[in-house]
Amino acid sequence: MSFVEVLPQILEPFKGVKGVALEEYFTSGHRTCQGCESALVMKLMIKAAGDRTIVLGSTGCMYVANTTYYTTPWVVPWMHTQLGSSGSAALGTAAALKALMRKGKMKSEPINVIAFCGDGGGADMGLSAISATLTHRDYNCLILMYDNESYANTDIQLSGSTPYGAYTTFSPAGKVKRIMHKRWKKNMAGMMAAGHPECRYVATVCPTYAVDMMNKVRKALTLGGPTFIHSLDPCPKGWDYDPMYSHELGEMAIKCGIFPLYEVEDGKLTFYGQTKYLVEGRTKRVPVREYLNRQGRFAHFLEEDIEYFQAKVDEMWEKWLLPGVLPFTKE
Ligand SMILES: Cc1ncc(C[n+]2csc(CCOP(=O)(O)OP(=O)(O)O)c2C)c(N)n1
Ligand code: SF4
Ligand SMILES: [Mg+2]
């Protein structure tokens, strides 16, 4: 039997909330915290992808809280993979589907493969596997890194994605040493976009902006090849705020310029939403103090810490070659 290459599904962008499908493929039966934005990412991600999708997830809150013994909110096929293996799971599954279809052992049809990982599993432990996957252009799979800025599932340990100065169980503020964590957050999406010429699509999203997020998932799956999306997810437990403010904190992270919304498609950079307005000078960045002061993880900050944080964000916007994306400076 001759094998015809199966192309990715064409998933048209949603024009607004009215066009979004009512079907849910991530339903009730999970045990994430109230106000958990990472759970919302799962719900939106699979709503955008549709039911012809296989989801793979590395260890973390979105595995543990979503698959308590004998229960699961996943309506589509889903599999757990080891903490550092989202990249390998995505590539292996995409390759297996291709081989089974080529051998005629299953019907040739487009099936989406999405592997998700947390920031610990993606930006730290699984970085090499994700990087390797993004070099294999022949396989269609999306890796989505949901970033709650800590190893949340094991009680909020510091990750490479934790913001400067934040209180975590690995960086508690003390009387002698107020700031235990002095490293600036990893630039994961910028790193993936700049370093992987075979990857057609890298994007940043925030579940506060749900339609934007779903459309970027749809674009990634439609373009095909290995693709990568980084989402910033407010986490009431780790960030220490009232769950009712999850959406608002996502909005503030974007408006402060801490987490720019953009996509890089075939090397072309496009800014989105509030970030686009900031880049075009149509709005001004909200001072970071308004964002930091809302979260218990920064409660130990003094004025000088807030000023340092603001200066670093200013640098991202005023000195970087591509604002918020590429941290090089020109002579
Ligand atoms: C190799 C390995 N080391 C450590 C653990 C313990 N562990 C389970 S979940 C987790 C946290 C993962 O953090 P992240 O990927 O950011 O996901 P989150 O829990 O924040 O959703 C850790 C350290 C593990 N399961 N496997
Ligand atoms: S700890 Fe954070 S990421 Fe984990 S379930 Fe709770 S809110 Fe969600
Ligand atoms: Mg995490």
Side-chain angles (χ1 to χ4, degrees):
M1 182 195 296
S2 67
F3 171 69
V4 181
E5 184 78 22
V6 178
L7 298 172
Q9 282 189 52
I10 296 173
L11 296 164
E12 296 293 342
F14 296 122
K15 297 253 161 41
V17 281
K18 279 192 188 156
V20 176
L22 290 176
E23 286 81 12
E24 300 289 356
Y25 305 113
F26 176 86
T27 61
S28 55
H30 59 85
R31 297 186 179 186
T32 64
C33 310
Q34 190 182 22
C36 173
E37 291 291 270
S38 296
L40 182 59
V41 167
M42 297 296 120
K43 178 184 156 96
L44 297 173
M45 172 187 92
I46 194 61
K47 207 181 227 315
D51 61 350
R52 300 309 288 159
T53 304
I54 297 173
V55 179
L56 315 147
S58 79
T59 326
C61 281
M62 290 306 107
Y63 158 52
V64 178
N66 281 331
T67 47
T68 312
Y69 191 54
Y70 272 162
T71 69
T72 180
W74 290 108
V75 176
V76 296
W78 117 267
M79 184 193 86
H80 167 239
T81 188
Q82 194 268 344
L83 185 46
S85 306
S86 58
S88 327
L91 190 64
T93 305
L97 285 175
K98 203 170 178 177
L100 287 170
M101 289 178 195
R102 190 181 61 238
K103 290 177 182 173
K105 293 195 171 175
M106 67 183 279
K107 196 177 122 198
S108 287
E109 62 169 319
I111 295 180
N112 304 313
V113 175
I114 306 180
F116 67 75
C117 56
D119 48 304
D124 290 347
M125 296 171 76
L127 191 56
S128 60
I130 295 174
S131 177
T133 299
L134 296 186
T135 67
H136 287 277
R137 188 125 180 184
D138 294 346
Y139 299 106
N140 301 326
C141 51
L142 164 65
I143 299 167
L144 187 147
M145 186 180 94
Y146 70 93
D147 181 5
N148 48 28
E149 301 193 317
S150 78
Y151 289 79
N153 179 62
T154 36
D155 205 19
I156 322 296
Q157 287 87 30
L158 178 90
S159 82
S161 222
T162 301
Y164 171 89
Y167 184 111
T168 66
T169 47
F170 276 4
S171 57
K175 283 194 183 128
V176 177
K177 221 170 176 190
R178 189 179 67 260
I179 302 290
M180 284 291 283
H181 170 45
K182 296 195 167 173
R183 286 168 278 156
W184 198 247
K185 182 183 168 85
K186 264 189 202 178
N187 178 15
M188 185 65 180
M191 182 176 14
M192 294 300 108
H196 297 88
E198 295 298 327
C199 168
R200 293 192 62 194
Y201 190 74
V202 171
T204 59
V205 297
C206 177
T208 297
Y209 300 99
V211 175
D212 174 69
M213 185 194 150
M214 287 191 283
N215 283 342
K216 284 173 175 157
V217 169
R218 287 176 88 94
K219 194 183 243 190
L221 294 170
T222 300
L223 284 169
T227 50
F228 181 81
I229 293 181
H230 177 181
S231 86
L232 181 74
D233 312 350
C235 158
K237 183 180 169 201
W239 299 17
D240 191 9
Y241 63 85
D242 188 310
M244 70 186 278
Y245 295 118
S246 288
H247 265 43
E248 210 171 318
L249 280 169
E251 188 180 343
M252 287 175 88
I254 313 300
K255 287 187 170 171
C256 292
I258 289 170
F259 190 79
L261 292 180
Y262 63 87
E263 68 179 17
V264 181
E265 180 186 344
D266 290 329
K268 185 169 169 270
L269 171 68
T270 310
F271 291 103
Y272 275 85
Q274 294 295 327
T275 306
K276 184 167 181 268
Y277 295 157
L278 292 176
V279 172
E280 291 170 352
R282 286 158 69 183
T283 50
K284 280 199 162 45
R285 273 181 286 128
V286 171
V288 297
R289 105 178 32 251
E290 291 182 30
Y291 174 71
L292 302 178
N293 284 348
R294 301 282 295 273
Q295 304 168 57
R297 63 180 174 158
F298 301 113
H300 54 290
F301 268 29
L302 299 180
E303 191 55 30
E304 66 193 76
D305 307 319
I306 296 175
E307 280 171 16
Y308 176 79
F309 206 110
Q310 183 67 63
K312 290 290 284 183
V313 175
D314 291 349
E315 203 178 298
M316 283 168 61
W317 282 85
E318 290 156 19
K319 303 240 170 78
W320 286 17
L321 191 61
L322 293 173
V325 183
L326 273 192
F328 308 129
T329 48
K330 274 198 235 164
E331 279 203 348

